[in-house]
Amino acid sequence: MSTESTLLRLWNESAATFANSGYALFDIEAQIVCMMVLTILFLKKQNSSDQTESQLIWSNMLFVQILYFLSEIFRVLIDIHVLPNSLAIQYTVAALNFGLFAFICLLMFIYTETYQKSKLLDSLRNKILLILPFAFNIVNLIISPYTKTFMYFSGSSMENGIFFPLMVFINLSYPVSAVILAMMRRRRMGKYERDNVSIMTIYPAFFLICSPIQALNWKFPILCYAIMMSDIFVYINYADSLVSLDPLTNIPNRNELIRNLSERLKSENVEKLYVFAVDVDDLGAINSEYGRSEGDRALILITNALKKFRQEEHECYVSRYYGDEFILSAYINDEEELKLFTEHIRNYISNAVIAKGLPYPLRVSIGHSRYEKYSRTETISGMIEEADRLMNENKEQRKFQSLWKRGRTA
């Protein structure tokens, strides 16, 4: 028999098998579509210049998910007898499928914690505790043919072992913990940080909702669609952040500031709206003497101080306008609150410098403007320009006072 006729016979036999197994073709098509979408996302991330720690973890998780979809395809092909369905092969594919699922759950937890810049995984002890449940599952996969803890052979079929429910629970405990921790952090955050954390509650939630459905009927490929939609959601959020977030400080940039101020100008409290220009004094000198990387660290320190001020003192909006200038917007009720607002900003920055033990002074000049109807500060550009003007006046005044003090002590 020629090679061509042999291939034709195998093709016809496979086509007949798929025709008689209604679920198989639909299942494999679903897995292939999800693999293709995730492969595109994976390749785009590999070619991306943004290689932050969280994005690298997500990229690795995409690769593991693609392997998981591939194992699902092998599982279906064995079930419909397109591939050899000996008990050894069945167990190997089932164990590989479950192991990849467990790895996805673990990576999902690590990714959500890293994305939120959590300190939970900083200690070696916590890392070991995190890995132990996953290691328990992997060990059970390996020894199960002898101990019957995961799956075991019963005649011509495989049955679930005594630890199988526990192993499933351990896997799902990772995304459950990720959702709970994200929700707890979200409650403690200000309004403008919550959106950034909300995605870390939604991302594992897709997975958690669809996993039990998939477990009830493994021939219904809903989990692959849930994983695909979750990853698309993450990628869209990542793409949005490139447009709206400053890459160095990870706070809203100029574009997002304009959008936010546009919304605030339509609010009922617009008469109480203030814009603050916060400029770093002598950042050029820091860059010259200590290097630009130290200048970047100084900007990040000020950003963290402003974020802490927002969390603990005043729910203001913080953005990086350009270079060494930050723009804040807030609703201020009276002159006393206005005075405390600027004083506390300086105090938070000063405390951050002391805590960090910087070898150089780090101070800021602050100017502000208030919304006034029928004036130049009725518009976004007018408010920012007025805040900038007063900020520059404040900076010149501080320089003059510094020179005057030096002259008196000379």
Side-chain angles (χ1 to χ4, degrees), residues 219-238:
K219 296 180 179 180
F220 182 51
I222 188 172
L223 185 57
C224 72
Y225 286 122
I227 291 174
M228 180 184 70
M229 293 303 296
S230 298
D231 287 320
I232 290 175
F233 186 64
V234 168
Y235 185 78
I236 291 174
N237 181 75
Y238 160 72

Side-chain angles (χ1 to χ4, degrees), residues 40-84:
I40 293 172
L41 296 180
F42 176 76
L43 293 175
K44 287 185 73 66
K45 279 308 301 167
Q46 291 299 107
N47 296 326
S48 171
S49 58
D50 177 25
Q51 296 296 332
T52 61
E53 185 179 4
S54 63
Q55 291 301 321
L56 285 172
I57 295 171
W58 182 62
S59 180
N60 292 333
M61 185 161 55
L62 287 175
F63 182 72
V64 176
Q65 288 168 347
I66 292 169
L67 294 179
Y68 173 74
F69 295 152
L70 187 61
S71 71
E72 284 286 327
I73 293 175
F74 280 115
R75 192 177 178 186
V76 173
L77 293 176
I78 290 172
D79 185 61
I80 63 176
H81 306 289
V82 170
L83 294 177

